[in-house]
Amino acid sequence: MRLALLLFALLGLSVQAAELSVSSPDDNITFTLSDSDTYSHYQVKYNGKPVIRPSRLGFAFEKAKPLYRDLALTEVSRSSEDSTWEQPWGEQRLIRNHYNELIVKFTDRQDKGNAFRLQVRVFNDGVGFRYHVDATGPRAIAREMTEFSIVDSHTATAYWIPGQGYDRQEYLYRETPVQDVMLASTPMTVKLDTGVHLAIHEAALVDYAGMSLDRQNLGRFEANLAPRADGVKVRKQGSFTTPWRTIQIASDAPGLINSYLTLNLNEPNKLGDVDWVNPGKYIGIWWGMHIQKYTWGSGDKHGATTENTIRYMDFAAKHGFDGVLVEGWNTGWDGDWIQNSELFSFTESYPDFDIEKVAEHGKKVGVKLIGHHETSGGITNYEEQMEDGFKLYERLGVEQIKTGYVAHGQSLKRKDDNGIMRFEYTDSQDVVNHFLHNVKTAANYGLSINTHESVKDTGLRRTYPNWIARESARGQEYNSGWAAPNPPEHVPMLAFTRMLSGPMDFTPGIFDLDYPPIKGGTEEHGVTEYMRPQTTIAKQLAEYVVIYSPIQMAADLPENYEEKPEPFQFIKDVPTDWEQSVALQGEVGDFVVIARQEKAHRDYTGKDWYLGAITNEESRTVEVPLSFLEKGQTYEAQIYQDGEKVDWKTNPYDIEIISKKVTASDTLTLKLAAAGGAAIRFRAM
Ligand code: NOJ
Ligand code: CA
């Protein structure tokens, strides 16, 4: 414990200033709080050097005194934790929760009233802190004053997407000097001059607004909470606790991925036995709509027909998939569905979709029907029908529902207590509450939720393991032709940014890269010469390992997999639930190499390892020591790599599939073509 007492004069009064520090168990990270000037602030050092300069703490309220200046700091308590907990499903089964904690109190120097307590946890991989505010009656937060003042602001690089934007989280990442960031969503990743990497985010976002980072001068960012429709940031009744504000710190980029800070700061599982939450792989009547082969709405090209679904289910059964997602089964899609959210029914099928019959057929062939609830942002319309929709799916034996909230910027529709329609952001307080209400209610019906256009992930899967995945980023759908596609750097960018927050339903595995450009809707998004996935086939396979999700889709049409059975074998083999994961190499937006050991479960022995390597528009050779494999064990490495003649623009299909015996003492040399990758199964022999 370090407590320095100084004397200084403020407004002619003599006051004592305090400084309190807490360090990580390995002593590399130190978090220091101080009340030594007008503002209460904190700073963070890594290996003795500042990474966060003095940064303000506090709040401003409507109709209540602000809590951020002339506050006195005192220590409340200290404690430490070192325990291990188990995930029911995940990228890592056992997670170590190891930190030192300091709780402090800030009191008003004038009236001596309690301002807030700050709870700080310092782990070896970063810090988390949150506020507890004691209050009676209503409180309206006008501004959260928390700052993150990043060092090296002229020279450090930030990797970020806009916050509170028109397309929610679905943006391409920008790579700019820290001082050129505007309003950024989190996690925002930063590479400092020393090569140290930071990621600023939040954990356990519950009954609060999502935080974006608003750059002020130099590298100083202020928390910017998504406003409610009434302009207030957050409304609270009585005492409240904020989400954790988090700063991951690592000596290199892969270190950010090998961190479980966000999960550790969430509450343990509140659902009890979650055997009914099942990781797995699925296909769907989905890509066909995006490439305009099918329609969501009724008519000649309606995708969700009984016959088509049965065909997909038979394909799924034949190739070992667990489920078939069916979009466009319910009424409400005809016309401009993005504008007409109140027309969606969550119980009524189109006449050519016999939901009873397809569910029955699924049971016969051992494949689950996966539900779909697109709301197009109609929060109230959905809430009014949600339980009925869940009841229907529960009765039919459905286990998972994909939800969707396609609405732009501040336009999700929610009726307030007076029945007046209000317009909200995806991350404003009431919508944050809606998402969790949806997940909790689904749990009562034994249903898991995969939220698209969701608020960002803040680790709530730990507390509610039926929140099985989210989209919350630009996924494969953008490669279908209705928008400028994701450039080759997108996935190596996601790995070090979006993926730090939790599983993503990216939907990999597009095998047909020659489909004709679709008509309409592309000009405004910027038509490019290659309105299709900018990838090689090997990269599509590597995405199953690189992009973690307990549910992975094989996104292409069944007929396209039937045409390419050899690479398809990798998709059939790869599991979606892991004993452990390790990010081995990489640089943000350039390349990434990740290895994962399968979890022993059903058809999986738990012995095999998988590896995914992905590069951006640059070809590169990576040397991968296999020291992560079990010593003394021989493996057959089934390697799916870019072929000699591959070129993502002219010949994306060239793939070389080879097999060789390896052990932990070998090193593999992987040649990744531009926009390419490699996927490997290490089969224990
Ligand atoms: C957007 C989702 O991300 C996409 O997967 C879905 O097909 C459409 N909404 C329609 O619900
Ligand atoms: Ca989407």
Side-chain angles (χ1 to χ4, degrees):
M1 180 179 90
R2 206 168 119 225
L3 174 63
L5 287 175
L6 309 162
L7 272 177
F8 78 114
L10 182 74
L11 301 171
L13 299 168
S14 279
V15 284
Q16 285 188 316
E19 190 175 283
L20 291 166
S21 290
V22 54
S23 295
S24 54
D26 67 4
D27 263 338
N28 288 342
I29 301 174
T30 304
F31 185 103
T32 304
L33 287 153
S34 171
D35 62 4
S36 67
D37 63 16
T38 318
Y39 302 117
S40 37
H41 59 258
Y42 75 96
Q43 55 183 307
V44 183
K45 286 187 177 165
Y46 180 58
N47 291 333
K49 286 199 183 128
V51 291
I52 300 290
R53 290 181 284 130
S55 301
R56 193 172 56 192
L57 296 163
F59 301 91
F61 301 99
E62 286 200 348
K63 298 182 192 155
K65 196 175 172 186
L67 303 175
Y68 70 97
R69 51 189 298 159
D70 302 331
L71 305 177
L73 168 65
T74 46
E75 180 170 323
V76 174
S77 65
R78 285 177 185 269
S79 62
S80 296
E81 173 80 22
D82 187 2
S83 55
T84 297
W85 57 279
E86 183 170 356
Q87 295 206 84
W89 49 263
E91 67 280 61
Q92 177 88 15
R93 187 169 64 83
L94 298 175
I95 293 186
R96 187 173 178 193
N97 186 22
H98 190 197
Y99 62 80
N100 291 325
E101 179 176 275
L102 166 66
I103 299 178
V104 301
K105 191 167 73 175
F106 284 94
T107 43
D108 192 303
R109 286 193 202 277
Q110 264 96 52
D111 65 17
K112 309 289 177 225
N114 279 340
F116 51 83
R117 277 171 294 137
L118 196 79
Q119 182 179 17
V120 184
R121 288 184 182 170
V122 186
F123 301 77
N124 293 341
D125 51 351
V127 304
F129 58 93
R130 64 176 174 180
Y131 301 87
H132 302 276
V133 177
D134 291 324
T136 45
R139 276 286 172 112
I141 300 176
R143 188 169 165 195
E144 185 184 316
M145 317 291 275
T146 310
E147 287 180 348
F148 304 86
S149 198
I150 300 170
V151 299
D152 309 336
S153 64
H154 286 68
T155 43
T157 308
Y159 307 89
W160 59 284
I161 54 170
Q164 294 159 30
Y166 181 81
D167 284 328
R168 308 157 304 264
Q169 311 283 307
E170 298 180 5
Y171 286 97
L172 293 176
Y173 280 82
R174 281 98 165 124
E175 181 175 339
T176 72
V178 164
Q179 63 172 2
D180 292 343
V181 176
M182 306 288 284
L183 180 66
S185 186
T186 72
M188 179 178 83
T189 298
V190 174
K191 183 178 181 181
L192 301 178
D193 293 353
T194 51
V196 168
H197 284 66
L198 311 177
I200 300 176
H201 189 43
E202 58 184 311
L205 171 55
V206 177
D207 194 19
Y208 206 78
M211 174 182 75
S212 291
L213 299 171
D214 198 354
R215 188 184 53 77
Q216 309 296 305
N217 61 333
L218 300 173
R220 192 164 62 85
F221 290 82
E222 185 176 299
N224 182 317
L225 304 177
R228 302 162 50 92
D230 59 15
V232 166
K233 297 298 177 70
V234 175
R235 288 194 183 277
K236 287 284 180 184
Q237 200 53 46
S239 301
F240 65 90
T241 301
T242 67
W244 293 92
R245 276 65 189 92
T246 61
I247 309 166
Q248 276 180 258
I249 306 172
S251 57
D252 57 13
L256 292 179
I257 301 176
N258 296 324
S259 157
Y260 297 97
L261 181 104
T262 311
L263 282 174
N264 274 326
L265 288 170
N266 273 271
E267 298 286 315
N269 175 7
K270 286 191 177 160
L271 299 183
D273 180 1
V274 285
D275 275 2
W276 47 275
V277 180
N278 288 313
K281 282 177 291 190
Y282 70 104
I283 59 166
I285 300 180
W286 176 75
W287 183 246
M289 276 80 103
H290 287 266
I291 61 170
Q292 297 186 3
K293 177 185 165 83
Y294 301 132
T295 55
W296 281 280
S298 60
D300 292 352
K301 286 176 28 180
H302 188 213
T305 64
T306 308
E307 195 192 354
N308 209 19
T309 308
I310 287 174
R311 180 170 72 89
Y312 270 68
M313 284 180 155
D314 291 345
F315 176 87
K318 182 171 164 202
H319 296 285
F321 288 90
D322 303 283
V324 174
L325 164 72
V326 183
E327 296 198 359
W329 66 275
N330 56 323
T331 57
W333 290 91
D334 295 318
D336 186 352
W337 59 267
I338 299 183
Q339 300 306 323
N340 296 335
S341 58
E342 50 294 329
L343 298 185
F344 276 123
S345 163
F346 297 94
T347 49
E348 192 192 347
S349 317
Y350 278 121
D352 55 353
F353 184 72
D354 185 339
I355 198 165
E356 309 282 339
K357 190 168 170 187
V358 299
E360 238 356 270
H361 187 78
K363 280 182 196 144
K364 206 169 78 200
V365 299
V367 171
K368 295 275 173 196
L369 172 67
I370 297 178
H372 187 232
H373 286 169
E374 173 60 60
T375 68
S376 57
I379 300 294
T380 302
N381 181 54
Y382 186 28
E383 289 192 347
E384 283 168 359
Q385 300 181 55
M386 204 162 77
E387 300 235 11
D388 288 342
F390 287 163
K391 277 181 199 151
L392 171 67
Y393 274 143
E394 183 196 35
R395 181 172 63 73
L396 295 170
V398 168
E399 284 181 357
Q400 282 167 22
I401 301 177
K402 170 178 169 180
T403 60
Y405 295 81
V406 179
H408 293 284
Q410 195 173 15
S411 63
L412 286 93
K413 295 184 208 152
R414 185 190 63 86
K415 270 191 201 154
D416 70 10
D417 295 343
N418 301 317
I420 299 170
M421 194 66 93
R422 303 291 181 192
F423 298 92
E424 303 278 6
Y425 283 106
T426 301
D427 46 356
S428 66
Q429 183 183 11
D430 283 313
V431 184
V432 165
N433 290 347
H434 162 79
F435 286 125
L436 194 54
H437 169 63
N438 175 249
V439 166
K440 285 185 186 173
T441 311
N444 299 335
Y445 294 91
L447 292 162
S448 299
I449 299 289
N450 165 20
T451 320
H452 276 231
E453 295 80 45
S454 166
V455 63
K456 64 189 168 179
D457 199 337
T458 56
L460 285 166
R461 63 177 157 138
R462 178 175 179 191
T463 317
Y464 304 98
N466 70 322
W467 203 339
I468 198 153
R470 313 185 197 209
E471 184 189 41
S472 308
R474 231 176 182 258
Q476 181 94 276
E477 61 176 351
Y478 279 81
N479 300 331
S480 60
W482 51 254
N486 301 323
E489 69 164 24
H490 187 58
V491 175
M493 200 57 101
L494 287 178
F496 299 98
T497 51
R498 158 67 180 83
M499 297 312 300
L500 302 178
S501 70
M504 176 176 179
D505 187 37
F506 180 84
T507 70
I510 296 302
F511 273 22
D512 176 10
L513 302 168
D514 287 323
Y515 50 85
I518 65 168
K519 293 169 212 83
T522 53
E523 287 289 338
E524 65 170 300
H525 294 103
V527 179
T528 82
E529 209 181 331
Y530 299 98
M531 296 296 284
R532 57 171 170 80
Q534 302 194 342
T535 177
T536 65
I537 287 281
K539 181 175 180 175
Q540 288 298 301
L541 302 182
E543 286 176 354
Y544 285 91
V545 185
V546 167
I547 301 173
Y548 168 65
S549 175
I551 51 166
Q552 290 279 21
M553 185 180 213
D556 211 336
L557 309 172
E559 46 272 36
N560 295 332
Y561 292 126
E562 261 152 5
E563 262 183 33
K564 297 189 178 65
E566 291 87 10
F568 187 43
Q569 188 60 44
F570 184 82
I571 300 180
K572 289 164 65 167
D573 291 341
V574 69
T576 64
D577 199 14
W578 307 98
E579 176 64 25
Q580 54 175 318
S581 290
V582 48
L584 299 167
Q585 299 176 33
E587 290 291 347
V588 187
D590 293 347
F591 77 106
V592 60
V593 185
I594 297 183
R596 305 190 195 272
Q597 182 189 13
E598 70 183 23
K599 187 160 120 181
H601 184 58
R602 284 202 235 146
D603 304 335
Y604 301 101
T605 61
K607 289 186 173 336
D608 293 2
W609 280 78
Y610 289 77
L611 180 143
I614 278 178
T615 180
N616 60 1
E617 67 287 350
E618 309 264 327
S619 62
R620 73 185 75 228
T621 301
V622 289
E623 301 281 331
V624 186
L626 302 182
S627 49
F628 55 86
L629 295 174
E630 194 187 314
K631 311 273 167 294
Q633 170 74 52
T634 304
Y635 297 83
E636 181 207 359
Q638 301 168 354
I639 305 174
Y640 299 73
Q641 62 189 11
D642 293 322
E644 283 289 316
K645 299 203 184 75
V646 80
D647 177 334
W648 74 264
K649 290 180 178 164
T650 57
N651 184 22
Y653 299 118
D654 190 22
I655 187 166
E656 196 178 52
I657 303 172
I658 56 171
S659 156
K660 56 161 100 165
K661 278 190 190 152
V662 297
T663 68
S665 48
D666 290 319
T667 293
L668 280 184
T669 302
L670 298 175
K671 284 191 186 154
L672 314 177
I680 306 175
R681 175 186 182 187
F682 296 96
R683 194 178 61 80
M685 299 179 75

